[in-house]
Amino acid sequence: MKRFIFITCLVFIGIIGISAKKEQTPIHRLILQGDSCMNEHDSFHAITYYQQYINEHPHDLNVLRKLASCYRLRGDNKKCIACMDSIPNDSLNHEDLRMMFYSYLNLGDKKKVESYGMTIYGKYPYDGEVFATLLQQWNNHGEPESVSAFALSYVEKRDSTNILINKELAYSLYLQLRYEQAIPRYKKLIADGFDNFESNLVIGLCYYNLEKYREAYTYLNKAAEMKKDNPNMNCLFYLGMTCKKISEQTKNVVEKETMARHAIINLERSITVAYPRSRGLYVNQQLAELYY
């Protein structure tokens, strides 16, 4: 009995040894070398090793994914997609779909972005990062109605705390001129920590369009302060116009003069930002030389 157990152990050890040797064959070492490069964030050399392996094993899906990831990290979205296209559709997992989504996003392919975005939304509805990016694309391409419809359903039925999705929802309401609905959503964003130039500017613009100029002044002035080192022309223009409106409406002489002065300062600054003096002089110089 002891002799049988001893022989069995030897056979088992032999099998392990053969398996280990198999893993260390030159072709398999290519994967290990590629993985080693990626551990050092060296996608340049990793591509070489993974590609050599794929040349011998073109249907190894795991290594295809590794190679695609390398190309995406290097910004070569077309080669990333070419690798992923070799994977059958019924074998695409969540990360595969995300890789395709962001690759097409970087290439500016709106139809593919929407197709993969909606696929992910249907299969993995709590992937808020992808969904927020899809909503942003719709807002940027003049489709705020789609954003408010999908985003409102998302925050009501799935996750009301996702700041990125709430931001796109609030912005879509502003784009649709639904200012009364946009304001409380932006205020909630600010309360949740999204207290930045964008939030304050849009709230200020909402109040301005509602002709609530004192409220608009509070937020536009705050936004202008946030960008004082890199001023924004639109913010300065609307802040100046808000000060002008308040000056025209107030009966307080001191406030009238103060707001009129602030209006002049901000409107003049908006001109300077839109048309810097140094650039203006340079452009006029070039025109003068041409006319001469």
Side-chain angles (χ1 to χ4, degrees):
M1 182 65 179
K2 290 181 179 180
R3 185 178 180 183
F4 174 75
I5 294 173
F6 178 72
I7 292 172
T8 303
C9 290
L10 288 176
V11 172
F12 181 69
I13 292 171
I15 292 171
I16 292 175
I18 293 170
S19 177
K21 286 180 181 179
K22 183 180 179 182
E23 288 297 320
Q24 294 299 317
T25 58
I27 193 66
H28 286 88
R29 277 202 295 270
L30 290 171
I31 301 176
L32 298 177
Q33 287 172 303
D35 291 347
S36 178
C37 289
M38 288 305 292
N39 288 336
E40 300 296 324
H41 303 282
D42 179 7
S43 59
F44 175 69
H45 290 99
I47 287 174
T48 302
Y49 295 121
Y50 291 145
Q51 188 62 65
Q52 287 182 50
Y53 178 86
I54 288 298
N55 291 340
E56 298 291 330
H57 298 83
H59 302 298
D60 191 321
L61 302 188
N62 288 330
V63 180
L64 273 171
R65 290 182 174 106
K66 291 174 186 280
L67 182 58
S69 180
C70 287
Y71 281 126
R72 187 186 163 212
L73 287 171
R74 298 178 60 76
D76 197 336
N77 297 288
K78 289 184 177 179
K79 287 186 178 179
C80 172
I81 291 169
C83 288
M84 297 304 296
D85 281 340
S86 299
I87 299 177
N89 285 334
D90 58 2
S91 297
L92 292 173
N93 59 33
H94 189 185
E95 286 305 313
D96 296 338
L97 292 170
R98 287 179 116 252
M99 196 174 302
M100 296 292 272
F101 174 82
Y102 284 108
S103 294
Y104 278 117
L105 178 69
N106 292 332
L107 290 173
D109 190 326
K110 183 177 180 294
K111 289 185 178 180
K112 289 289 188 180
V113 168
E114 185 167 319
S115 174
Y116 280 100
M118 291 305 293
T119 298
I120 293 170
Y121 177 72
K123 292 185 175 181
Y124 310 99
Y126 285 94
D127 189 341
E129 183 183 20
V130 166
F131 188 48
T133 304
L134 178 60
L135 297 177
Q136 184 182 56
Q137 290 298 297
W138 284 342
N139 270 333
N140 291 343
H141 287 90
E143 302 176 45
E145 296 83 2
S146 297
V147 174
S148 56
F150 277 91
L152 192 59
S153 174
Y154 189 95
V155 298
E156 287 180 349
K157 297 178 181 179
R158 291 189 178 134
D159 180 5
S160 63
T161 63
N162 190 304
I163 290 178
L164 294 176
I165 290 175
N166 277 297
K167 178 176 79 74
E168 296 306 324
L169 172 57
Y171 188 50
S172 74
L173 295 171
Y174 166 75
L175 292 176
Q176 295 174 73
L177 314 184
R178 294 161 64 180
Y179 304 125
E180 295 281 9
Q181 293 170 281
I183 288 170
R185 292 195 176 276
Y186 270 108
K187 286 185 175 181
K188 185 177 185 307
L189 283 170
I190 289 175
D192 289 341
F194 202 73
D195 188 5
N196 58 15
F197 170 76
E198 178 187 339
S199 295
N200 286 281
L201 173 64
V202 178
I203 292 181
L205 293 176
C206 286
Y207 277 124
Y208 181 87
N209 287 309
L210 291 170
E211 298 183 359
K212 296 181 178 181
Y213 300 117
R214 293 187 182 278
E215 290 89 343
Y217 176 81
T218 299
Y219 289 97
L220 290 172
N221 190 53
K222 185 177 178 181
E225 281 295 312
M226 288 179 168
K227 293 279 282 185
K228 62 183 178 182
D229 294 329
N230 184 26
N232 177 274
M233 187 272 287
N234 284 327
C235 181
L236 293 172
F237 170 77
Y238 280 102
L239 177 57
M241 290 301 296
T242 298
C243 292
K244 180 176 182 292
K245 295 289 186 182
I246 294 173
S247 176
E248 291 170 347
Q249 292 177 354
T250 185
K251 295 180 180 180
N252 185 299
V253 176
V254 175
E255 185 181 41
K256 183 181 289 290
E257 292 181 355
T258 301
M259 283 297 169
R261 188 165 55 253
H262 285 173
I264 292 170
I265 291 170
N266 285 294
L267 288 173
E268 286 183 341
R269 287 182 66 206
S270 73
I271 294 173
T272 303
V273 171
Y275 191 56
R277 182 175 176 79
S278 58
R279 184 178 299 173
L281 289 172
Y282 177 77
V283 172
N284 282 313
Q285 180 186 5
Q286 306 311 307
L287 286 171
E289 290 178 359
L290 287 167
Y291 282 122
Y292 177 76

